[in-house]
Amino acid sequence: RASVRFPARFMMVASMNPCPCGHAGDPTRACVCGPANVQRYLSKVSGPLLDRIDLHVEVAPVPFDDLRRAADAEPSSAVRARVVAARERQAARVAGEAQAPTCNAGLTAPQVRRHCALDASGQALLQAALTRLGLSARAHDRILKVARTIADLAAEPAIRAEHLAEAIQYRSLDRSGWGLG
């Protein structure tokens, strides 16, 4: 009989297997589930819930030799510096606005329209992706926010086609046949 609103800001990180046996899409082990069972398994996570998750990423198994190989990786301090600089760009962009978010994920719909503008090629790319993947208006805005963040991390003032393409790739669970690759 009542509705209560509790303000909350959080980051959710979740994972799941690609199928009941866990081997769909694995190049070294055969999946024994079958396409219908994989789709039934994946459909247990509702579309409206997936629509509210910004990044969907398939992670392939890492071969043992790659785990043991010493790799020249970017140091965490360099990644942190890039993230801090991106956050500063984001804060400067919305400074003085009512309801100024702390990061791009918090942009309101009008702020997305203002700060995530696309050129003609970007608009064509996004339209094609939305049509082909059957994405919702919510997914449209989430893709734009992620693309804006990718551009900020690259210190780019405008969202370019490659930023948008990368953001679209992070919607893998919106694609039919996920995990069957």
Side-chain angles (χ1 to χ4, degrees):
R1 291 190 174 160
S3 177
V4 179
R5 183 177 175 154
F6 294 101
R9 214 181 302 159
F10 67 94
M11 182 183 297
M12 179 177 77
V13 178
S15 66
M16 64 184 281
N17 284 331
C19 66
C21 77
H23 303 303
D26 187 328
T28 62
R29 296 185 204 162
C31 173
V32 297
C33 300
N37 285 335
V38 172
Q39 287 305 322
R40 187 172 29 258
Y41 177 78
L42 293 175
S43 70
K44 291 182 180 188
V45 180
S46 75
L49 176 62
L50 285 176
D51 215 19
R52 288 167 170 84
I53 298 174
D54 292 347
L55 305 175
H56 313 163
V57 181
E58 288 184 66
V59 180
V62 180
F64 179 78
D65 290 342
D66 290 349
L67 290 172
R68 301 299 304 158
R69 186 175 307 129
D72 292 330
E74 183 178 18
S76 295
S77 59
V79 175
R80 183 182 193 290
R82 199 168 56 250
V83 170
V84 167
R87 287 287 182 108
E88 289 170 355
R89 279 188 279 286
Q90 294 168 16
R93 186 180 306 116
V94 298
E97 291 187 23
Q99 298 178 325
T102 58
C103 63
N104 291 332
L107 293 172
T108 64
Q111 289 168 328
V112 168
R113 303 298 171 262
R114 255 191 322 277
H115 302 299
C116 301
L118 300 174
D119 62 13
S121 65
Q123 289 181 34
L125 174 61
L126 185 55
Q127 181 180 8
L130 291 173
T131 302
R132 192 177 79 248
L133 300 174
L135 300 177
S136 69
R138 181 177 285 117
H140 169 276
D141 284 2
R142 291 190 182 278
I143 288 169
L144 287 173
K145 292 175 191 182
V146 170
R148 176 72 265 166
T149 300
I150 293 166
D152 288 338
L153 288 167
E156 294 284 345
I159 297 172
R160 296 195 334 229
E162 61 261 27
H163 306 137
L164 191 57
E166 183 177 344
I168 292 165
Q169 289 178 6
Y170 293 137
R171 301 295 300 194
S172 66
L173 290 179
D174 290 328
R175 299 182 208 138
S176 62
W178 175 79
L180 300 176

